[in-house]
């Protein structure tokens, strides 16, 4: 067991603009990381929604003008930046790395977890990203099934959830 | 954060006869509990399958003879005992409580977690109990959605999973 404590772990926390992911991050910092005397590296991951593209599902498709695309890109980039800043402010006395990836958060989280060989994935039970409504709840289910490492799903207590 | 470290947490670990739940327990001991200098209480929970009863689904039903029922009860009790003994052997220098409840593991885990007000539920990604085949994978999904506390789902690494 001592070996495990001495080991420098990589812990991936998926963050988005929702309060629940920030609560998950805080819970992880208070319950998982602090106890290891900051030996761990915390990897903050934000998944940007993929750009709209032609869909092959039914042959129909759509395109946005370059202006609108540029505006959307700028907005999502600013959003990612503000989320990361907010998350980093919570991380005191912890080694932190940040990553912003583009794609379906379900895939992005599992892919980054595998690529970096993290020891644990931490995420809220809902979300993630601008397309969270479309994937409500399914991100945590998907990651719990597909990620090749332990997955910690943190739900906001009802007592504070309603101010979300 | 110091407050959280000082806090004595209750951590519920669902165990069954499968190797995956024992791996989940070991992972929890090595990564979550040991770091808190045994301030936490580990609650080992085993869900016994419910007794066969008349089913109201389609009006059909069945009963087993008292002899068979007694044999089944004895078998499940012995199984629960052996699982708990195996689990307790893994728990060194940790305050441990054991609970054996009867019912669908999905409900039992969430009910006990709420009743005891645990800080976290830990379980393998598959199982639990004799009826695990019928609920493969669904226990962890169900608990992640329904439990009113953080849920840690520990998957056995592929490298050792095939000897299960």
């Amino acid at each position: 067991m001592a070996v495990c404590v001495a080991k420098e772990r990589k812990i991936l926390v998926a963050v988005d603009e929702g309060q629940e992911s920030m609560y998950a991050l805080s819970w992880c910092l208070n319950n998982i990381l602090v106890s290891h005397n900051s030996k761990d590296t915390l990897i903050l991951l934000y998944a940007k929604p993929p750009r709209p593209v032609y869909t092959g599902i039914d042959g129909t498709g759509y395109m946005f003008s370059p202006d609108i695309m540029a505006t959307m890109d700028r907005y999502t980039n600013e959003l990612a930046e503000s989320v990361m800043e907010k998350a980093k402010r919570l991380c005191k006395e912890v080694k932190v790395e940040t990553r912003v990836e583009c794609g379906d958060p379900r895939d992005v989280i599992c892919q980054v977890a595998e690529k970096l060989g993290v020891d644990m994935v931490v995420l809220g039970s809902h979300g993630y990203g601008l397309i969270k409504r479309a994937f409500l709840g399914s991100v945590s289910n998907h990651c719990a099934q597909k990620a090749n490492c332990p997955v910690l799903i943190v739900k906001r207590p009802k007592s504070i959830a309603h101010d979300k």
Side-chain angles (χ1 to χ4, degrees), chain A:
Chain A
M1 285 162 84
V3 177
C4 296
V5 177
K7 181 170 173 278
E8 294 185 19
R9 305 177 301 178
K10 284 185 198 171
I11 297 177
L12 178 69
V13 181
V15 292
D16 71 353
E17 65 278 9
Q19 286 299 315
E20 190 168 53
S21 71
M22 292 301 157
Y23 178 81
L25 172 59
S26 302
W27 198 93
C28 173
L29 287 162
N30 292 342
N31 288 273
I32 312 294
L33 279 154
V34 67
S35 50
H36 280 67
N37 307 316
S38 306
K39 278 199 204 76
D40 305 315
T41 298
L42 190 67
I43 298 154
L44 300 174
L45 172 65
Y46 178 83
K48 282 199 302 186
R51 274 184 158 208
V53 290
Y54 277 107
T55 168
I57 297 164
D58 58 4
T60 62
Y62 54 90
M63 283 284 280
F64 291 110
S65 74
D67 286 359
I68 294 175
M69 294 296 281
T71 307
M72 288 173 66
D73 286 346
R74 194 167 57 250
Y75 173 68
T76 53
N77 290 338
E78 285 169 1
L79 187 59
E81 208 171 294
S82 71
V83 168
M84 283 302 188
E85 284 310 312
K86 188 176 176 187
K88 281 192 284 186
R89 279 198 297 274
L90 294 174
C91 305
K92 299 180 178 68
E93 304 159 19
V94 181
K95 210 186 309 173
V96 177
E97 291 174 14
T98 61
R99 291 181 71 102
V100 176
E101 303 282 346
C102 192
D104 179 335
R106 297 177 300 178
D107 303 325
V108 167
I109 293 167
C110 294
Q111 284 160 5
V112 171
E114 183 154 13
K115 188 178 169 190
L116 302 183
V118 302
D119 297 277
M120 173 165 37
V121 167
V122 180
L123 64 170
S125 61
H126 288 148
Y128 281 80
L130 293 172
I131 44 177
K132 66 194 298 181
R133 294 282 160 261
F135 296 112
L136 193 66
S138 69
V139 174
S140 54
N141 275 359
H142 180 89
C143 294
Q145 291 296 312
K146 303 297 180 188
N148 61 352
C149 66
V151 174
L152 174 63
I153 298 167
V154 182
K155 193 177 291 175
R156 273 183 111 201
K158 291 189 183 70
S159 56
I160 61 172
H162 50 60
D163 67 355
K164 183 178 180 178

